[in-house]
Amino acid sequence: MAKIQMKTPLVEMDGDEMTRIIWQDIKDILLTPYIDLKTEYYDLGLVHRNETDDQVTVDSANATKKYGVAVKCATITPNAARMPEYNLKEMWKSPNGTIRAILDGTVFRTPILVKGITPYIPTWTKPITIARHAYGDVYKNVEMKCPAGSKAELVCTDKDGKETRETIYNFECDGIIQGQHNKSTSIASFARACFNFALDKKQDVWFATKDTISKKYDHTFKDIFQEIYDNEYKAKFEAAGIEYFYTLIDAVARVIRSNGGYIWACKNYDGDVMSDMVATAYGSLAMMTSVLVSPDGIYEYEAAHGTVQRHYYKHLKGEETSTNSVATLFAWTGALRKRGELDNLPELMNFADCLEKATIETIEDGVMTGDLYLLSTLENKKKVNTVDFLKAVDERLKKLLG
């Protein structure tokens, strides 16, 4: 069978630890035998980020702006313990934070549902998509330690040099301060991304902040969402039979009691926390799709979990691992499908659909990695290692492709 051809390269962002091993396995077993895979490769592994003073992360984001579609492996965001382990020059920032700041946009994360895996919250019969604003807030913050006797102020200097000041706190003891920001243009693009995604999926949008406490910061998010909805989307939503619903972030109680099947729009940090909560409640962090959609129509697909450090250390010792690769697989299929859509390559889109179907069929046939084996209610389930799972997917993919 002739390999499927590509016109435009994907931007490929390699990563760290066990996910880096899986990344190569996926390419070798499930992609390159079927596709003449064209990628512009960037090594975002921590070793290379350190060698390039993190310039490679910036370069990969700019390449994504150029080509339009990227696929990213999970990467290490170093903490103090990683400094000696990797002999780092400095504690480099989150590559995801750097990339999202350059691309802007919204991260949409949706659980992957399979038979035999019952959500911890049994009323959740339909997937909840978390729409996470991908710019600013705590991820672009500045911080200071303040010695006792310090006066901390918030100062804004306008274009004419006029200063506006607000006292944050007069420190009678040692303390800390943090400055956050966001932009009205980014908030507006976040709102439109959520509303457009809702129209595409025919699902309601819930948006939650804490505007009762944050009467300027969070309230601005609320006001921009409402203005854009009223002026640009209300009639479209009514015609589609869907609604926009605003509530406080305390909406988590309403979410827990729901049946799912909607888009939950969250500010950056809220979305970070809630997407992990939702993914885990549906079964596993490795069973969730994740895509960053920028206001310019740029897409970056990734796995919404970490680098699986514990399994990597087992792998280095030569021990067998049973690591779930589904989220990484679906990052590849999402990117390939979008590339096929943009380049009018139906064969590439069909391949992505078949690979996802083969993955789900494998699990529903009872062949799965250790994390799902512990959760599955299937009677004929079988735990397999990391590579054997991919080989089992390949068996079903061959049949689907004919």
Side-chain angles (χ1 to χ4, degrees):
M1 184 175 71
K3 289 188 178 184
I4 298 167
Q5 299 298 305
M6 294 178 63
K7 294 178 182 177
T8 310
L10 290 172
V11 176
E12 177 186 352
M13 305 175 185
D14 209 344
D16 287 296
E17 298 190 316
M18 197 63 207
T19 45
R20 186 183 183 97
I21 304 298
I22 290 171
W23 191 262
Q24 190 61 50
D25 288 340
I26 288 171
K27 289 168 67 177
D28 292 343
I29 297 169
L30 294 169
L31 300 182
T32 55
Y34 304 98
I35 305 170
D36 183 15
L37 192 63
K38 286 184 170 62
T39 71
E40 184 161 307
Y41 178 86
Y42 293 87
D43 183 359
L44 266 57
L46 186 52
V47 171
H48 192 57
R49 277 184 278 146
N50 191 56
E51 290 171 349
T52 64
D53 295 335
D54 208 28
Q55 182 61 40
V56 65
T57 306
V58 175
D59 293 345
S60 71
N62 287 328
T64 304
K65 292 175 77 172
K66 176 182 177 182
Y67 290 107
V69 184
V71 58
K72 181 183 173 294
C73 182
T75 46
I76 294 169
T77 299
N79 56 16
R82 298 291 199 170
M83 294 291 288
E85 181 182 359
Y86 283 86
N87 193 27
L88 299 180
K89 300 173 187 176
E90 63 179 83
M91 205 181 298
W92 304 109
K93 292 183 178 180
S94 160
N96 286 336
T98 299
I99 292 164
R100 290 167 189 164
I102 292 170
L103 299 182
D104 200 354
T106 302
V107 177
F108 294 95
R109 289 180 171 172
T110 307
I112 302 163
L113 305 186
V114 293
K115 292 176 185 175
I117 307 295
T118 304
Y120 288 104
I121 300 171
T123 57
W124 286 2
T125 55
K126 294 174 283 188
I128 297 170
T129 295
I130 297 291
R132 174 187 172 188
H133 188 208
Y135 179 83
D137 297 349
V138 71
Y139 301 87
K140 292 292 288 183
N141 78 85
V142 291
E143 301 173 330
M144 288 183 185
K145 290 186 175 182
C146 304
S150 301
K151 179 182 180 181
E153 294 181 295
L154 197 61
V155 182
C156 178
T157 308
D158 69 19
K159 64 180 187 299
D160 298 320
K162 181 182 177 182
E163 289 186 351
T164 304
R165 292 176 174 267
E166 293 279 355
T167 298
I168 299 171
Y169 195 69
N170 290 301
F171 286 93
E172 76 283 357
C173 62
D174 293 349
I176 48 177
I177 59 170
Q178 182 182 84
Q180 299 184 29
H181 80 280
N182 223 297
K183 303 186 296 183
S184 58
T185 51
S186 183
I187 299 168
S189 73
F190 172 38
R192 291 189 178 94
C194 293
F195 295 143
N196 287 331
F197 195 85
L199 288 168
D200 183 51
K201 298 293 183 182
K202 300 292 188 289
Q203 291 182 334
D204 296 345
V205 174
W206 296 15
F207 181 44
T209 70
K210 196 71 171 177
D211 66 284
T212 52
I213 301 299
S214 178
K215 298 182 185 298
K216 293 180 181 176
Y217 200 101
D218 280 23
H219 213 298
T220 297
F221 275 82
K222 177 185 177 182
D223 291 344
I224 290 174
F225 260 74
Q226 193 64 53
E227 181 181 354
I228 288 173
Y229 174 74
D230 290 341
N231 293 337
E232 301 176 28
Y233 290 94
K234 187 175 182 180
K236 295 175 184 177
F237 268 51
E238 289 172 352
I242 58 176
E243 67 173 346
Y244 166 58
F245 174 74
Y246 176 80
T247 185
L248 295 174
I249 193 61
D250 311 69
V252 66
R254 187 188 298 260
V255 169
I256 295 298
R257 293 194 299 267
S258 77
N259 299 122
Y262 50 86
I263 297 149
W264 184 9
C266 296
K267 288 169 59 197
N268 207 343
Y269 178 74
D270 297 337
D272 192 357
V273 175
M274 295 305 175
S275 62
D276 281 0
M277 184 272 287
V278 166
T280 303
Y282 275 103
S284 171
L285 279 173
M287 297 293 288
M288 179 171 262
T289 64
S290 181
V291 57
L292 171 69
V293 182
S294 87
D296 302 321
I298 293 162
Y299 298 81
E300 183 227 349
Y301 295 82
E302 63 175 350
H305 58 69
T307 57
V308 203
Q309 180 184 12
R310 184 171 58 86
H311 286 205
Y312 180 61
Y313 290 160
K314 287 180 67 177
H315 171 81
L316 290 179
K317 294 176 184 176
E319 298 176 14
E320 185 175 85
T321 63
S322 183
T323 313
N324 191 329
S325 55
V326 173
T328 305
L329 258 171
F330 273 60
W332 274 106
T333 55
L336 290 167
R337 184 186 296 108
K338 179 55 67 174
R339 191 70 271 165
E341 177 188 321
L342 294 175
D343 290 347
N344 191 25
L345 297 171
E347 272 191 308
L348 191 59
M349 296 167 67
N350 179 65
F351 174 83
D353 292 341
C354 288
L355 181 49
E356 288 184 2
K357 186 176 181 182
T359 304
I360 298 298
E361 283 184 1
T362 301
I363 298 168
E364 294 185 346
D365 286 346
V367 181
M368 61 194 75
T369 49
D371 61 324
L372 299 184
Y373 182 84
L374 295 172
L375 299 170
S376 177
T377 58
L378 295 177
E379 294 182 1
N380 63 333
K381 62 184 180 180
K382 175 187 176 185
K383 176 183 172 181
V384 296
N385 66 36
T386 307
V387 172
D388 284 349
F389 176 76
L390 297 175
K391 289 179 177 176
V393 172
D394 189 42
E395 290 174 12
R396 290 157 180 80
L397 177 61
K398 282 183 169 69
K399 292 176 183 175
L400 289 171
L401 293 174

